[in-house]
Amino acid sequence: CQCNNCKALRKNYDNREAGLQLRLVNGLAKRLKQFRPNLKISTLAYFQTETPPKNFLLEDNVLIRLCNTANNYVSSPAAPEEAPFRARISGWNKLAQQLSIWDYGVNFNKTTMGLPYPSEFFLQETLQFYRDQKVCFLFTETEHIFHSDMHVMKTWLRAKLMENPDADFPGMMQDFLQGYYGPAASFILQYRQTLLKSVQKNKPYCAAWDPAAISFTHLDLNTVAACDRLLEKAELAVKDNPVYLRRVREARASIDEAIFIFIRKYNLEN
């Protein structure tokens, strides 16, 4: 709202939109205490309201759920580009007694949602960061199960790390790969490690909200060709087991999609 009254209120909160939202939420929270003192009100800090307001006292029965809308899936939470999000978490921790996170494990761009990016290698550090920041509740939105990169593996690893952020990640990774891909496990691991090496070299920015294909800079010709060869070996390793073979082909779909999207670029690089 841009009426004079709302403009004046917004200015009082250092022009933070969340201040106007939380005025309403605070009023509801005060009423709730009168007849349901054991309940809390949860509200999103989302896009325009992600930055905490200044000059505000939040009721103790309000739970803030901060949405991580600008994170880079293939980067550490300690990376320079994550500084704004770290500042938002710190600000909300000072304002709210309890903090929740709405995280994302999905790419919302229909053109690029199936492209591969090795976010699994950054999950543990991210969840440890949330733990250290006293995040009480964590929700991760994942969808497009059959059109996203390694959905089953990433969901399984995330669930295990939510139980124990300090768990043995390499051991868990091996447990999953051996159990899910059988004899193809070593080739799938090499495939993911090849992607990780390219991420460390090319520094892509793979976000949830409509990332352009050009931002997946780790998917250069040499990397994708190497991944394709590894996945060919993975298929051959399980060619006589239809269950393992279907799972390997589901994993391979992301590399196939990269080849399809970038084929003209690869022809120029070749």
Side-chain angles (χ1 to χ4, degrees):
C1 179
Q2 295 299 320
C3 75
N4 290 335
N5 185 44
C6 283
K7 285 181 179 179
L9 288 171
R10 192 178 289 110
K11 186 176 181 180
N12 185 55
Y13 303 129
D14 197 26
N15 292 316
R16 310 288 174 84
E17 195 68 29
L20 297 182
Q21 176 195 5
L22 292 178
R23 277 175 59 88
L24 170 64
V25 174
N26 254 6
L28 296 172
K30 289 177 182 178
R31 295 185 183 186
L32 182 64
K33 285 182 182 180
Q34 297 174 11
F35 60 95
R36 291 288 189 275
N38 59 320
L39 296 184
K40 298 182 183 295
I41 289 182
S42 174
T43 189
L44 293 177
Y46 187 46
F47 283 117
Q48 296 96 328
T49 60
E50 286 179 32
T51 303
K54 298 287 184 67
N55 310 315
F56 199 93
L57 184 63
L58 192 65
E59 293 293 321
D60 59 7
N61 61 336
V62 175
L63 170 65
I64 297 295
R65 181 171 287 187
L66 175 61
C67 299
N68 192 1
T69 58
N71 70 309
N72 183 4
Y73 288 140
V74 287
S75 179
S76 162
E81 66 266 26
E82 297 297 316
F85 183 66
R86 293 196 300 271
R88 289 195 289 274
I89 284 188
S90 177
W92 283 115
N93 264 330
K94 294 173 183 176
L95 190 63
Q97 290 197 6
Q98 288 187 308
L99 181 63
S100 172
I101 295 291
W102 185 307
D103 219 340
Y104 295 93
V106 60
N107 170 355
F108 291 112
N109 187 326
K110 292 182 180 180
T111 302
T112 61
M113 67 171 55
L115 290 177
Y117 53 94
S119 57
E120 64 270 20
F121 295 105
F122 302 90
L123 283 174
Q124 183 163 46
E125 189 177 359
T126 299
L127 293 185
Q128 288 174 340
F129 170 70
Y130 289 153
R131 186 266 318 277
D132 295 343
Q133 292 296 314
K134 306 297 190 295
V135 170
C136 300
F137 309 100
L138 174 62
F139 171 79
T140 302
E141 179 179 349
T142 59
E143 50 209 74
H144 311 300
I145 296 173
F146 298 109
H147 191 198
S148 60
D149 178 50
M150 303 290 285
H151 181 277
V152 175
M153 182 187 73
K154 292 180 181 181
T155 301
W156 188 89
L157 289 170
R158 185 180 288 108
K160 290 294 183 182
L161 288 169
M162 286 173 71
E163 293 174 352
N164 178 15
D166 299 318
D168 173 20
F169 180 81
M172 288 195 310
M173 185 94 162
Q174 284 288 357
D175 285 346
F176 177 85
L177 294 175
Q178 291 289 344
Y180 199 70
Y181 295 107
S186 63
F187 299 114
I188 298 294
L189 179 59
Q190 291 176 64
Y191 155 50
R192 304 307 293 182
Q193 290 173 334
T194 300
L195 288 176
L196 178 62
K197 289 178 182 177
S198 186
V199 162
Q200 293 167 338
K201 175 184 176 182
N202 294 292
K203 310 295 185 195
Y205 198 99
C206 303
W209 294 96
D210 291 335
I214 197 172
S215 66
F216 289 74
T217 55
H218 61 293
L219 298 177
D220 56 84
L221 173 60
N222 290 334
T223 297
V224 171
C227 291
D228 191 52
R229 290 191 294 269
L230 287 166
L231 289 164
E232 181 70 27
K233 293 178 181 178
E235 283 199 33
L236 289 173
V238 295
K239 61 183 176 61
D240 297 324
N241 187 309
V243 174
Y244 288 147
L245 183 59
R246 175 181 58 81
R247 292 172 178 174
V248 169
R249 285 177 172 170
E250 287 176 357
R252 187 171 187 168
S254 292
I255 284 295
D256 290 342
E257 187 157 339
I259 294 171
F260 176 79
I261 289 176
F262 297 118
I263 188 64
R264 293 183 66 188
K265 175 176 176 289
Y266 295 154
N267 284 336
L268 293 172
E269 292 178 4
N270 193 356

